[in-house]
Amino acid sequence: MEFCPKCGKILLPDKDGNLKCSCGYEDSISDEEVKEQYSFEGETNPQQEVIVTDKKSTAMPTKKITCYKCGGTEGVWWVLQTRSADEAPTYFIRCTNCGNTWRQSN
Ligand SMILES: [Zn+2]
Ligand SMILES: [Zn+2]
């Protein structure tokens, strides 16, 4: 996943293969690896679930993590209440090194 360097949101590809952000930022997908990352349409891998947040990473609390992608040790975290209020809130972690985001189940 690529993140917008301006606002930190996840960039989504359009049909022309350009990455676009709702803040107006645009980039083109030139890297084959990046293209592959975007080619898993329809698959649901909980470890790669895409979370769009308006919060800037600088305003989020940090915690010690171990990123399964890059081995980074610092991440930011936030909590989302999913589906119904009866369910336990879900914690999300984003690696500050590579931007990898995943769900923590505690
Ligand atoms: Zn943006
Ligand atoms: Zn990482």
XYZ file of all heavy atoms in Angstrom:
836
model
N 0.831 -1.199 0.000
C 0.000 0.000 0.000
C 0.867 1.252 0.000
O 1.895 1.301 0.641
C -0.878 0.025 1.255
C -2.069 -0.899 1.162
S -3.139 -0.431 -0.195
C -3.641 -2.058 -0.726
N 0.405 2.222 -0.730
C 1.104 3.500 -0.748
C 0.250 4.516 0.021
O -0.957 4.530 -0.083
C 1.280 3.983 -2.195
C 2.137 3.051 -3.029
C 3.585 3.021 -2.550
O 4.225 4.080 -2.561
O 4.056 1.948 -2.147
N 0.941 5.361 0.747
C 0.222 6.367 1.503
C 0.522 7.757 0.951
O 1.617 8.027 0.468
C 0.604 6.306 2.989
C 0.079 5.078 3.657
C 0.817 3.921 3.663
C -1.165 5.091 4.251
C 0.332 2.777 4.259
C -1.663 3.953 4.864
C -0.918 2.796 4.869
N -0.460 8.627 1.034
C -0.312 9.989 0.544
C 0.726 10.720 1.388
O 0.614 10.757 2.611
C -1.657 10.704 0.628
S -1.553 12.436 0.176
N 1.747 11.293 0.753
C 2.765 12.017 1.512
C 2.229 13.333 2.086
O 2.831 13.915 2.973
C 3.868 12.274 0.486
C 3.182 12.212 -0.830
C 2.030 11.267 -0.680
N 1.105 13.780 1.583
C 0.548 15.051 2.059
C -0.342 14.876 3.276
O -0.223 15.594 4.259
C -0.242 15.738 0.941
C 0.655 16.354 -0.105
C -0.144 16.793 -1.314
C -0.790 18.149 -1.112
N -1.517 18.563 -2.327
N -1.253 13.909 3.206
C -2.221 13.783 4.292
C -2.204 12.421 4.976
O -2.852 12.245 5.985
C -3.629 14.109 3.801
S -4.304 12.852 2.705
N -1.457 11.457 4.428
C -1.308 10.181 5.111
C -2.396 9.161 4.812
O -2.386 8.063 5.324
N -3.374 9.527 3.969
C -4.403 8.563 3.616
C -3.855 7.542 2.625
O -2.859 7.777 1.962
C -5.595 9.280 2.972
C -6.447 10.006 3.965
C -7.662 10.569 3.258
C -8.383 11.540 4.158
N -9.434 12.272 3.454
N -4.562 6.426 2.523
C -4.156 5.399 1.572
C -4.492 5.857 0.157
O -5.575 6.368 -0.095
C -4.853 4.080 1.914
C -4.227 3.529 3.192
C -4.745 3.088 0.763
C -4.804 2.265 3.684
N -3.535 5.701 -0.742
C -3.758 6.074 -2.137
C -4.446 4.926 -2.867
O -4.071 3.771 -2.719
C -2.417 6.388 -2.809
C -1.665 7.579 -2.247
C -0.300 7.676 -2.900
C -2.438 8.868 -2.462
N -5.456 5.258 -3.652
C -6.183 4.238 -4.392
C -5.954 4.434 -5.882
O -5.961 5.564 -6.376
C -7.677 4.337 -4.079
C -8.035 4.035 -2.625
C -9.499 4.311 -2.374
C -7.710 2.588 -2.266
N -5.758 3.343 -6.612
C -5.502 3.461 -8.050
C -6.792 3.693 -8.828
O -7.832 3.141 -8.485
C -4.911 2.094 -8.399
C -5.450 1.160 -7.366
C -5.732 1.960 -6.133
N -6.733 4.516 -9.849
C -7.885 4.647 -10.736
C -7.669 3.741 -11.949
O -6.685 3.009 -12.043
C -8.122 6.112 -11.124
C -6.997 6.656 -11.996
O -6.129 5.868 -12.440
O -6.964 7.876 -12.213
N -8.598 3.797 -12.910
C -8.524 2.855 -14.030
C -7.332 3.102 -14.947
O -6.941 2.234 -15.702
C -9.830 2.866 -14.824
C -10.207 4.229 -15.382
C -11.512 4.081 -16.164
C -12.112 5.368 -16.680
N -11.399 6.605 -16.600
N -6.753 4.292 -14.875
C -5.571 4.581 -15.698
C -4.271 4.195 -15.017
O -3.188 4.405 -15.555
C -5.526 6.075 -16.030
C -6.784 6.517 -16.765
O -7.237 5.772 -17.642
O -7.293 7.600 -16.454
N -4.386 3.660 -13.830
C -3.190 3.246 -13.129
C -2.509 4.351 -12.351
O -1.353 4.222 -11.960
N -3.226 5.429 -12.129
C -2.666 6.495 -11.299
C -3.198 6.373 -9.880
O -4.342 6.007 -9.663
C -3.050 7.865 -11.857
C -2.418 8.115 -13.212
O -1.217 7.918 -13.380
N -3.221 8.510 -14.166
N -2.340 6.696 -8.945
C -2.766 6.693 -7.551
C -3.355 8.057 -7.223
O -2.771 9.086 -7.537
C -1.576 6.416 -6.638
C -0.966 5.018 -6.756
C 0.326 4.947 -5.965
C -1.922 3.958 -6.274
N -4.510 8.037 -6.597
C -5.155 9.302 -6.285
C -5.556 9.357 -4.829
O -5.930 8.364 -4.236
C -6.403 9.481 -7.152
C -6.047 9.832 -8.569
C -7.226 10.412 -9.313
C -6.769 10.867 -10.678
N -7.864 11.174 -11.579
N -5.494 10.576 -4.295
C -5.916 10.805 -2.923
C -7.028 11.842 -2.934
O -7.081 12.711 -3.799
C -4.739 11.303 -2.082
S -5.229 11.711 -0.403
N -7.901 11.746 -1.949
C -9.024 12.676 -1.887
C -8.567 14.110 -1.604
O -9.318 15.055 -1.795
C -10.026 12.230 -0.823
O -9.367 12.002 0.399
N -7.329 14.296 -1.175
C -6.840 15.649 -0.927
C -6.314 16.304 -2.209
O -5.955 17.465 -2.222
C -5.732 15.660 0.136
S -4.132 15.110 -0.470
N -6.275 15.528 -3.310
C -5.824 16.100 -4.574
C -4.468 15.593 -5.019
O -4.066 15.784 -6.159
N -3.767 14.908 -4.155
C -2.457 14.382 -4.500
C -2.595 13.272 -5.542
O -3.505 12.458 -5.480
C -1.762 13.857 -3.246
C -0.429 13.212 -3.539
C 0.714 13.990 -3.687
C -0.320 11.829 -3.677
C 1.932 13.392 -3.974
C 0.899 11.232 -3.958
C 2.026 12.020 -4.103
O 3.217 11.428 -4.383
N -1.678 13.264 -6.522
C -1.705 12.212 -7.538
C -0.304 11.670 -7.760
O 0.674 12.396 -7.691
C -2.203 12.759 -8.882
C -3.697 12.847 -8.961
C -4.157 13.217 -10.362
O -3.589 12.683 -11.333
O -5.062 14.055 -10.457
N -0.248 10.400 -8.032
C 1.036 9.779 -8.343
C 0.751 8.662 -9.337
O -0.365 8.159 -9.421
C 1.655 9.206 -7.059
C 3.157 9.017 -7.210
O 3.693 9.298 -8.307
O 3.784 8.593 -6.243
N 1.753 8.285 -10.107
C 1.541 7.184 -11.031
C 2.200 5.937 -10.488
O 3.206 6.004 -9.790
C 2.118 7.534 -12.405
O 3.486 7.814 -12.274
N 1.588 4.782 -10.792
C 2.183 3.522 -10.365
C 3.228 3.141 -11.401
O 2.900 2.786 -12.518
C 1.116 2.420 -10.259
C -0.029 2.872 -9.367
C 1.735 1.139 -9.731
C -1.143 1.841 -9.258
N 4.487 3.230 -11.039
C 5.526 2.871 -11.985
C 6.178 1.558 -11.582
O 6.642 0.790 -12.412
C 6.580 3.981 -12.046
O 6.986 4.321 -10.743
N 6.150 1.293 -10.306
C 6.831 0.143 -9.744
C 5.969 -1.115 -9.917
O 4.810 -1.138 -9.556
C 7.056 0.442 -8.252
C 8.033 -0.518 -7.621
O 7.984 -1.707 -7.991
O 8.815 -0.080 -6.780
N 6.550 -2.166 -10.469
C 5.799 -3.415 -10.646
C 5.317 -3.985 -9.319
O 4.243 -4.538 -9.212
C 6.670 -4.463 -11.357
C 6.791 -4.266 -12.857
C 5.433 -4.249 -13.560
O 4.575 -5.097 -13.245
O 5.227 -3.372 -14.419
N 6.157 -3.837 -8.297
C 5.802 -4.369 -6.993
C 4.557 -3.680 -6.443
O 3.708 -4.293 -5.826
C 6.962 -4.145 -6.013
C 7.522 -5.433 -5.464
C 8.664 -5.169 -4.502
O 8.378 -4.747 -3.377
O 9.822 -5.357 -4.908
N 4.504 -2.377 -6.651
C 3.349 -1.624 -6.173
C 2.099 -2.083 -6.904
O 1.047 -2.272 -6.323
C 3.571 -0.111 -6.354
C 2.310 0.664 -5.990
C 4.735 0.364 -5.500
N 2.233 -2.315 -8.207
C 1.090 -2.797 -8.974
C 0.573 -4.117 -8.419
O -0.614 -4.336 -8.312
C 1.493 -2.989 -10.450
C 1.459 -1.700 -11.234
C 1.777 -1.985 -12.694
C 2.039 -0.686 -13.426
N 2.621 -0.908 -14.738
N 1.503 -4.983 -8.058
C 1.095 -6.276 -7.508
C 0.332 -6.115 -6.207
O -0.617 -6.821 -5.935
C 2.319 -7.159 -7.272
C 2.755 -7.874 -8.532
C 4.044 -8.644 -8.316
O 4.299 -9.083 -7.189
O 4.800 -8.788 -9.293
N 0.777 -5.145 -5.399
C 0.106 -4.923 -4.116
C -1.351 -4.533 -4.325
O -2.191 -4.779 -3.484
C 0.799 -3.801 -3.336
C 2.123 -4.228 -2.743
C 2.790 -3.088 -2.015
O 2.138 -2.135 -1.607
N 4.094 -3.161 -1.857
N -1.621 -3.906 -5.434
C -2.982 -3.442 -5.687
C -3.798 -4.456 -6.477
O -4.917 -4.210 -6.828
C -2.948 -2.115 -6.436
C -2.655 -0.950 -5.533
C -1.422 -0.321 -5.565
C -3.622 -0.492 -4.640
C -1.151 0.746 -4.729
C -3.356 0.565 -3.806
C -2.128 1.189 -3.841
O -1.857 2.234 -3.025
N -3.211 -5.604 -6.776
C -3.888 -6.537 -7.662
C -4.670 -7.604 -6.916
O -5.151 -8.532 -7.518
C -2.882 -7.183 -8.606
O -2.003 -8.000 -7.860
N -4.795 -7.488 -5.613
C -5.497 -8.534 -4.861
C -6.962 -8.186 -4.654
O -7.564 -8.526 -3.664
C -4.800 -8.815 -3.521
C -4.667 -7.646 -2.604
C -5.703 -7.297 -1.747
C -3.494 -6.902 -2.587
C -5.576 -6.215 -0.908
C -3.360 -5.822 -1.749
C -4.407 -5.472 -0.906
N -7.563 -7.563 -5.617
C -8.963 -7.174 -5.558
C -9.851 -8.316 -5.108
O -9.780 -9.412 -5.646
C -9.411 -6.724 -6.949
C -9.953 -5.317 -6.953
C -10.301 -4.899 -8.360
O -9.387 -4.495 -9.094
O -11.481 -5.017 -8.700
N -10.711 -8.056 -4.162
C -11.659 -9.067 -3.747
C -11.152 -9.973 -2.642
O -11.928 -10.509 -1.880
N -9.878 -10.118 -2.532
C -9.336 -10.955 -1.465
C -9.449 -10.229 -0.134
O -9.264 -9.032 -0.056
C -7.848 -11.243 -1.713
C -7.626 -12.386 -2.653
C -6.135 -12.634 -2.854
O -5.394 -12.621 -1.864
O -5.738 -12.809 -4.015
N -9.714 -11.006 0.889
C -9.723 -10.381 2.208
C -8.719 -11.077 3.103
O -8.955 -12.160 3.601
C -11.118 -10.424 2.859
O -11.639 -11.739 2.720
C -12.050 -9.421 2.190
N -7.602 -10.457 3.242
C -6.576 -10.919 4.162
C -6.579 -9.957 5.343
O -6.277 -8.788 5.176
C -5.223 -10.901 3.450
C -4.101 -11.346 4.368
O -4.272 -11.407 5.596
N -2.959 -11.648 3.796
N -6.963 -10.437 6.520
C -7.085 -9.516 7.665
C -5.792 -8.770 7.966
O -5.811 -7.671 8.497
C -7.481 -10.438 8.826
C -7.217 -11.834 8.358
C -7.287 -11.820 6.859
N -4.658 -9.373 7.610
C -3.385 -8.718 7.888
C -3.121 -7.560 6.935
O -2.245 -6.754 7.171
C -2.244 -9.727 7.779
C -2.295 -10.758 8.882
C -1.023 -10.774 9.691
O 0.037 -11.057 9.175
N -1.104 -10.421 10.950
N -3.873 -7.518 5.840
C -3.632 -6.460 4.864
C -4.848 -5.549 4.710
O -4.946 -4.801 3.774
C -3.304 -7.067 3.502
C -1.980 -7.804 3.517
C -1.482 -8.117 2.132
O -2.250 -8.292 1.205
N -0.178 -8.159 1.976
N -5.755 -5.664 5.648
C -6.972 -4.869 5.569
C -6.621 -3.385 5.494
O -5.773 -2.892 6.209
C -7.827 -5.132 6.799
C -9.243 -4.653 6.618
C -10.145 -5.247 7.697
O -10.011 -6.452 7.973
O -10.933 -4.507 8.239
N -7.301 -2.716 4.595
C -7.000 -1.308 4.371
C -7.868 -0.455 5.283
O -9.083 -0.557 5.273
C -7.266 -0.940 2.905
C -7.070 0.554 2.702
C -6.340 -1.728 2.000
N -7.226 0.346 6.039
C -7.938 1.229 6.949
C -7.710 2.668 6.498
O -6.587 3.128 6.394
C -7.419 1.078 8.398
C -7.382 -0.393 8.796
C -8.258 1.918 9.346
C -8.690 -1.122 8.681
N -8.772 3.356 6.248
C -8.639 4.757 5.879
C -8.965 5.593 7.103
O -10.010 5.444 7.714
C -9.588 5.111 4.724
C -9.461 6.583 4.379
C -9.268 4.251 3.515
N -8.058 6.426 7.436
C -8.268 7.266 8.613
C -7.920 8.702 8.281
O -7.031 8.977 7.498
C -7.429 6.777 9.808
O -7.554 7.729 10.850
C -5.968 6.635 9.432
N -8.653 9.592 8.874
C -8.370 11.008 8.653
C -7.319 11.524 9.635
O -6.815 12.612 9.492
C -9.642 11.842 8.835
C -10.569 11.662 7.640
O -10.053 11.416 6.538
O -11.778 11.754 7.827
N -7.035 10.711 10.622
C -6.081 11.162 11.630
C -4.677 11.187 11.044
O -4.262 10.250 10.368
C -6.105 10.215 12.831
C -7.360 10.341 13.644
C -7.344 9.306 14.759
C -8.701 9.237 15.441
N -8.885 7.989 16.149
N -3.962 12.221 11.342
C -2.569 12.277 10.893
C -1.710 11.486 11.867
O -1.927 11.511 13.059
C -2.101 13.728 10.846
C -2.792 14.465 9.721
C -2.173 15.811 9.482
C -2.821 16.429 8.253
N -2.690 17.857 8.214
N -0.732 10.801 11.303
C 0.056 9.914 12.140
C 0.814 10.673 13.228
O 1.108 10.136 14.275
C 1.026 9.110 11.290
O 1.842 9.977 10.548
N 1.103 11.939 12.982
C 1.839 12.699 13.981
C 1.010 12.919 15.235
O 1.544 13.132 16.306
C 2.259 14.066 13.422
O 1.111 14.673 12.833
C 3.364 13.924 12.396
N -0.307 12.873 15.110
C -1.173 13.129 16.258
C -1.522 11.844 16.993
O -2.214 11.871 17.977
C -2.456 13.813 15.795
N -1.038 10.720 16.506
C -1.401 9.450 17.099
C -0.335 8.974 18.075
O 0.838 9.232 17.894
C -1.592 8.413 15.983
C -2.854 8.691 15.196
S -2.641 8.203 13.521
C -3.304 6.599 13.543
N -0.787 8.260 19.106
C 0.186 7.737 20.073
C 1.050 6.650 19.449
O 0.585 5.902 18.599
C -0.697 7.161 21.187
C -2.016 6.893 20.540
C -2.170 7.901 19.441
N 2.281 6.587 19.880
C 3.178 5.569 19.341
C 3.335 4.434 20.336
O 3.068 4.580 21.521
C 4.573 6.146 19.038
O 5.112 6.671 20.246
C 4.498 7.227 17.987
N 3.754 3.295 19.803
C 4.006 2.168 20.690
C 5.065 1.286 20.067
O 5.296 1.340 18.869
C 2.684 1.450 20.980
C 2.419 0.151 20.290
C 0.969 -0.243 20.486
C 0.772 -1.755 20.493
N 0.851 -2.351 21.822
N 5.684 0.466 20.894
C 6.701 -0.462 20.399
C 6.009 -1.602 19.682
O 5.108 -2.238 20.221
C 7.539 -1.008 21.559
C 8.599 -0.042 22.019
C 9.705 -0.786 22.749
C 10.753 -1.280 21.772
N 12.014 -1.664 22.373
N 6.409 -1.848 18.459
C 5.786 -2.903 17.671
C 6.880 -3.681 16.968
O 8.047 -3.300 17.005
C 4.817 -2.323 16.609
C 5.526 -1.260 15.747
C 3.610 -1.709 17.270
C 5.668 -1.598 14.312
N 6.491 -4.757 16.340
C 7.384 -5.425 15.408
C 6.634 -5.574 14.098
O 5.657 -6.293 14.007
C 7.818 -6.804 15.925
O 8.390 -6.643 17.220
C 8.837 -7.427 14.992
N 7.082 -4.832 13.103
C 6.418 -4.870 11.807
C 6.794 -6.157 11.099
O 7.969 -6.477 10.970
C 6.843 -3.664 10.981
S 6.180 -3.695 9.310
N 5.759 -6.925 10.656
C 6.050 -8.188 9.977
C 6.596 -7.976 8.573
O 7.056 -8.891 7.924
C 4.813 -9.096 9.955
C 3.636 -8.561 9.171
C 3.546 -8.754 7.798
C 2.616 -7.868 9.820
C 2.471 -8.270 7.093
C 1.534 -7.377 9.113
C 1.465 -7.583 7.744
O 0.399 -7.092 7.042
N 6.505 -6.752 8.077
C 6.974 -6.479 6.720
C 8.423 -6.010 6.695
O 9.239 -6.503 5.949
C 6.103 -5.402 6.090
C 5.209 -5.899 4.975
C 4.487 -4.699 4.409
C 3.793 -5.003 3.106
N 3.018 -3.840 2.668
N 8.723 -4.975 7.513
C 10.054 -4.372 7.424
C 10.847 -4.559 8.704
O 12.003 -4.177 8.764
C 9.932 -2.887 7.076
S 9.396 -1.873 8.474
N 10.222 -5.124 9.733
C 10.941 -5.307 10.984
C 11.046 -4.045 11.821
O 11.764 -4.009 12.812
N 10.334 -3.004 11.426
C 10.336 -1.747 12.170
C 9.832 -1.944 13.586
O 9.054 -2.849 13.875
N 10.299 -1.103 14.501
C 9.949 -1.292 15.909
C 9.104 -0.167 16.473
O 8.763 -0.173 17.643
C 11.221 -1.422 16.774
O 12.042 -0.279 16.546
C 11.989 -2.684 16.432
N 8.745 0.820 15.660
C 7.877 1.876 16.169
C 6.637 1.976 15.304
O 6.707 1.976 14.080
C 8.601 3.226 16.196
C 7.791 4.245 16.980
C 8.443 5.621 16.969
O 8.503 6.239 15.899
O 8.876 6.056 18.041
N 5.504 2.046 15.977
C 4.249 2.156 15.242
C 3.315 3.121 15.931
O 3.502 3.459 17.100
N 2.319 3.587 15.209
C 1.258 4.373 15.821
C 0.027 3.480 15.904
O -0.122 2.536 15.146
C 0.925 5.646 15.008
C 2.090 6.617 15.048
C 0.551 5.312 13.576
N -0.866 3.769 16.831
C -2.047 2.935 16.982
C -3.276 3.797 17.182
O -3.197 4.937 17.603
C -1.886 1.959 18.145
C -1.748 2.620 19.486
C -0.591 3.070 20.054
C -2.797 2.918 20.414
N -0.857 3.626 21.277
C -2.208 3.551 21.526
C -4.188 2.710 20.407
C -2.958 3.978 22.617
C -4.926 3.142 21.503
C -4.304 3.756 22.593
N -4.428 3.235 16.842
C -5.702 3.883 17.099
C -6.781 2.822 17.247
O -6.557 1.663 16.943
C -6.039 4.895 15.997
C -6.315 4.302 14.642
C -7.540 4.021 14.106
C -5.343 3.943 13.647
N -7.385 3.500 12.833
C -6.058 3.448 12.532
C -3.952 3.997 13.593
C -5.415 3.001 11.376
C -3.319 3.542 12.437
C -4.041 3.055 11.355
N -7.906 3.221 17.753
C -8.973 2.281 18.043
C -10.185 2.615 17.198
O -10.538 3.774 17.029
C -9.371 2.361 19.539
C -10.473 1.350 19.841
C -8.165 2.126 20.417
N -10.787 1.579 16.640
C -12.035 1.764 15.902
C -13.093 0.870 16.506
O -12.854 -0.305 16.791
C -11.864 1.371 14.436
C -11.276 2.366 13.451
C -11.500 1.835 12.049
C -11.878 3.744 13.594
N -14.271 1.413 16.701
C -15.408 0.594 17.111
C -16.006 -0.003 15.849
O -16.454 0.722 14.973
C -16.434 1.466 17.837
C -17.573 0.681 18.460
C -17.126 -0.112 19.686
O -16.493 0.432 20.576
N -17.414 -1.393 19.710
N -15.937 -1.318 15.723
C -16.426 -1.945 14.496
C -17.861 -2.408 14.638
O -18.295 -2.800 15.708
C -15.550 -3.148 14.109
O -15.426 -3.996 15.251
C -14.180 -2.684 13.660
N -18.552 -2.379 13.548
C -19.939 -2.845 13.440
C -20.815 -2.373 14.592
O -21.200 -1.227 14.658
C -19.979 -4.375 13.303
C -19.735 -4.809 11.880
C -19.418 -6.293 11.796
N -18.002 -6.500 11.498
C -17.285 -7.524 11.904
N -17.811 -8.455 12.629
N -16.029 -7.627 11.574
N -21.121 -3.232 15.539
C -22.032 -2.829 16.604
C -21.262 -2.414 17.844
O -20.110 -2.783 18.055
C -22.979 -3.977 16.952
O -22.269 -4.964 17.676
N -21.931 -1.668 18.683
C -21.298 -1.190 19.910
C -21.108 -2.321 20.913
O -20.404 -2.171 21.901
C -22.150 -0.081 20.523
N -21.745 -3.460 20.642
C -21.601 -4.600 21.553
C -20.245 -5.264 21.415
O -19.765 -5.931 22.312
C -22.671 -5.661 21.253
C -24.067 -5.099 21.460
O -24.192 -4.141 22.229
O -25.005 -5.612 20.838
N -19.640 -5.080 20.229
C -18.364 -5.733 20.006
C -17.216 -4.943 20.619
O -17.280 -3.727 20.730
C -18.111 -5.870 18.500
C -18.852 -7.043 17.913
C -18.562 -7.185 16.440
O -17.386 -7.096 16.059
O -19.525 -7.374 15.687
N -16.197 -5.662 20.969
C -15.019 -5.001 21.519
C -14.380 -4.126 20.445
O -14.376 -4.492 19.277
C -14.025 -6.044 22.000
N -13.860 -2.970 20.847
C -13.190 -2.124 19.856
C -11.952 -2.815 19.290
O -11.364 -3.674 19.939
C -12.809 -0.872 20.643
C -12.873 -1.265 22.076
C -13.846 -2.405 22.178
N -11.593 -2.448 18.086
C -10.447 -3.058 17.427
C -9.286 -2.081 17.399
O -9.473 -0.904 17.093
C -10.818 -3.450 15.987
O -12.033 -4.178 16.020
C -9.730 -4.302 15.365
N -8.111 -2.563 17.691
C -6.912 -1.738 17.659
C -6.207 -1.902 16.324
O -6.082 -3.010 15.824
C -5.945 -2.151 18.775
C -6.479 -1.859 20.143
C -7.373 -2.733 20.755
C -6.102 -0.702 20.821
C -7.892 -2.466 22.009
C -6.609 -0.439 22.077
C -7.501 -1.318 22.669
O -8.012 -1.043 23.906
N -5.801 -0.789 15.779
C -5.038 -0.831 14.542
C -3.651 -0.272 14.781
O -3.479 0.676 15.543
C -5.728 -0.018 13.446
C -7.007 -0.650 12.999
C -8.215 -0.233 13.531
C -6.998 -1.663 12.062
C -9.407 -0.832 13.137
C -8.183 -2.260 11.664
C -9.391 -1.844 12.197
N -2.683 -0.878 14.120
C -1.292 -0.465 14.258
C -0.762 -0.083 12.880
O -1.027 -0.781 11.909
C -0.406 -1.622 14.779
C -1.055 -2.321 15.970
C 0.999 -1.126 15.100
C -0.926 -1.643 17.276
N -0.034 1.012 12.819
C 0.647 1.338 11.557
C 2.123 1.537 11.835
O 2.522 2.307 12.710
C 0.078 2.601 10.929
C 0.785 2.915 9.587
C 0.328 4.219 8.994
N -1.064 4.126 8.577
C -1.800 5.195 8.259
N -1.288 6.395 8.318
N -3.046 5.047 7.905
N 2.933 0.822 11.061
C 4.382 0.942 11.176
C 4.797 2.329 10.688
O 4.428 2.740 9.589
C 5.032 -0.145 10.338
S 6.816 0.004 10.211
N 5.545 3.059 11.504
C 5.961 4.400 11.098
C 7.095 4.338 10.082
O 7.399 5.317 9.428
C 6.436 5.231 12.308
O 7.453 4.506 12.998
C 5.280 5.520 13.238
N 7.714 3.177 9.958
C 8.824 3.034 9.023
C 8.350 2.839 7.586
O 8.767 3.545 6.676
C 9.725 1.884 9.461
C 10.983 1.789 8.620
O 11.636 2.807 8.377
N 11.315 0.601 8.179
N 7.423 1.881 7.375
C 7.022 1.557 6.002
C 5.552 1.846 5.734
O 5.104 1.727 4.608
C 7.344 0.105 5.677
S 6.272 -1.091 6.505
N 4.783 2.215 6.751
C 3.384 2.539 6.532
C 2.462 1.327 6.533
O 1.263 1.451 6.347
N 3.013 0.155 6.752
C 2.225 -1.067 6.836
C 1.207 -0.953 7.977
O 1.550 -0.531 9.068
C 3.206 -2.230 7.088
C 2.504 -3.562 7.120
O 1.468 -3.745 6.507
N 3.092 -4.502 7.836
N -0.046 -1.308 7.692
C -1.100 -1.172 8.696
C -1.780 -2.508 8.923
O -2.075 -3.216 7.980
C -2.136 -0.138 8.215
O -1.471 1.072 7.922
C -3.185 0.113 9.279
N -2.007 -2.858 10.173
C -2.694 -4.116 10.439
C -3.527 -3.994 11.704
O -3.456 -3.020 12.428
C -1.710 -5.279 10.537
C -0.767 -5.228 11.709
C -0.952 -5.794 12.932
C 0.510 -4.568 11.765
N 0.131 -5.537 13.741
C 1.035 -4.791 13.053
C 1.240 -3.823 10.830
C 2.279 -4.270 13.445
C 2.476 -3.314 11.240
C 2.982 -3.544 12.524
N -4.319 -5.054 11.930
C -5.238 -5.055 13.055
C -4.673 -5.864 14.206
O -4.149 -6.941 14.025
C -6.571 -5.655 12.607
C -7.604 -5.687 13.696
C -8.967 -5.881 13.129
N -9.039 -7.018 12.213
C -10.058 -7.241 11.404
N -11.058 -6.410 11.365
N -10.065 -8.289 10.617
N -4.798 -5.311 15.384
C -4.345 -6.006 16.592
C -5.583 -6.516 17.305
O -6.551 -5.790 17.458
C -3.589 -5.014 17.480
C -2.823 -5.671 18.600
C -1.400 -5.990 18.183
O -1.128 -6.295 17.038
N -0.479 -5.907 19.114
N -5.564 -7.766 17.726
C -6.803 -8.358 18.207
C -6.999 -8.296 19.719
O -7.796 -9.019 20.257
C -6.874 -9.812 17.738
O -5.715 -10.493 18.157
N -6.292 -7.466 20.427
C -6.547 -7.409 21.869
C -7.352 -6.187 22.227
O -6.902 -5.093 22.123
C -5.251 -7.456 22.675
C -4.350 -6.267 22.394
O -4.427 -5.653 21.333
N -3.502 -5.919 23.325
Zn -3.714 13.140 0.513
Zn 7.128 -1.652 8.550
